[in-house]
Amino acid sequence: CTPLKEKRIAGVQTLSGTGGLRVFGEVLAQFGHKHIYVPNPTWGNHIPIFTNAGLEVKKYRYYDNATCSLDFDGLIEDMKGMPEGTCVLLHACAHNPTGMDPTPEQWKEISKVAMEQNLLPFFDCAYQGFASGDARKDAAAVRMFVEDGHKIALVQSFSKNFGLYGQRIGALSVVADSPEEALRVQSQLKVHIRPSYSNPPRHGARIVGKILASEEKTNDFVEQCMG
């Protein structure tokens, strides 16, 4: 991952995915964002999380109930109509509640339109490893957007795929233009974390960290997500 090697990623531990959504929502509101676009439908908790963070929640077309499939044309049309600089929430994989994900080719088109509109992609990754059965493959859309040059934000939950639901282990990462900008972004994330939960849980985070720091253990994790 080039941004990671170049130290251009601001990262903080969050209270699972929910906490990361709230923290980034507050930061968006602080720095002038008035609204955020979410897919229709989306996880029910997205709406109160962002509303309570001070954002107006707007929706873009995602699922066609009549055909039980992705409304890709509607999605693209709505993205093209979003104001420049808008933050758009994307489900990284295993869309909740439909389970319907774009194809790699459709993701490429979504990335292209987001770049043309200068949108801020915000990925919610809550089910990595449970969509395709391959945790690495489930991160394909996130990797694609980073490789395409987007300055994405990403919230990850390790509650389900690591079996740590009660530990509230998550991460919020933001890709920046430079190491200096990454430090400034990280500082602002901490400004919102401090009066909220101050310090995240340690035990579960060490479990995740130990597994992902080992190639052998990571491979075991990927295989076990396959069931």
Side-chain angles (χ1 to χ4, degrees):
C1 176
T2 300
L4 187 61
K5 293 177 181 177
E6 295 176 348
K7 299 182 179 180
R8 292 192 289 111
I9 297 181
V12 291
Q13 186 183 333
T14 60
L15 300 185
S16 198
T18 303
L21 291 164
R22 175 60 184 257
V23 169
F24 196 62
E26 290 183 359
V27 172
L28 288 173
Q30 179 187 358
F31 286 91
H33 284 259
K34 303 299 182 183
H35 50 257
I36 184 170
Y37 280 83
V38 303
N40 184 25
T42 193
W43 179 46
N45 212 20
H46 279 145
I47 296 170
I49 287 172
F50 292 128
T51 299
N52 290 339
L55 298 170
E56 178 187 358
V57 178
K58 298 187 176 183
K59 297 180 180 180
Y60 61 88
R61 283 172 283 179
Y62 188 86
Y63 190 71
D64 187 337
N65 288 309
T67 61
C68 296
S69 63
L70 181 70
D71 183 2
F72 185 67
D73 291 340
L75 185 158
I76 293 298
E77 183 179 353
D78 286 352
M79 285 187 67
K80 287 181 177 180
M82 294 177 189
E84 182 178 353
T86 293
C87 184
V88 54
L89 184 79
L90 302 165
H91 295 224
C93 65
H95 177 271
N96 182 0
T98 70
M100 180 65 63
D101 294 331
T103 65
E105 294 75 20
Q106 289 171 333
W107 273 122
K108 195 67 179 176
E109 181 66 17
I110 293 170
S111 174
K112 177 186 174 186
V113 173
M115 185 67 73
E116 291 172 349
Q117 295 295 113
N118 192 30
L119 303 179
L120 171 56
F122 182 18
F123 281 95
D124 185 356
C125 185
Y127 301 98
Q128 187 176 355
F130 293 156
S132 67
D134 186 329
R136 295 186 177 96
K137 184 177 179 180
D138 285 352
V142 174
R143 291 196 181 97
M144 177 191 294
F145 272 62
V146 173
E147 290 168 1
D148 287 348
H150 292 277
K151 305 303 185 294
I152 70 163
L154 166 68
V155 63
Q156 294 169 275
S157 168
F158 302 106
S159 295
K160 305 166 191 70
N161 53 9
F162 276 86
L164 295 170
Y165 215 99
Q167 301 293 328
R168 310 312 294 155
I169 306 304
L172 171 60
S173 306
V174 182
V175 177
D177 275 322
S178 66
E180 294 75 21
E181 184 179 73
L183 289 174
R184 292 194 294 270
V185 172
Q186 186 152 349
S187 175
Q188 291 303 315
L189 297 178
K190 290 180 177 179
V191 164
H192 286 268
I193 287 172
R194 182 60 177 166
S196 176
Y197 56 90
S198 188
N199 293 292
R202 182 178 297 177
H203 178 69
R206 285 183 171 176
I207 293 173
V208 174
K210 185 167 186 175
I211 292 172
L212 296 183
S214 163
E215 183 177 357
E216 180 182 0
K217 289 183 175 65
T218 298
N219 288 334
D220 287 342
F221 158 69
V222 171
E223 291 175 8
Q224 289 174 29
C225 280
M226 293 179 183

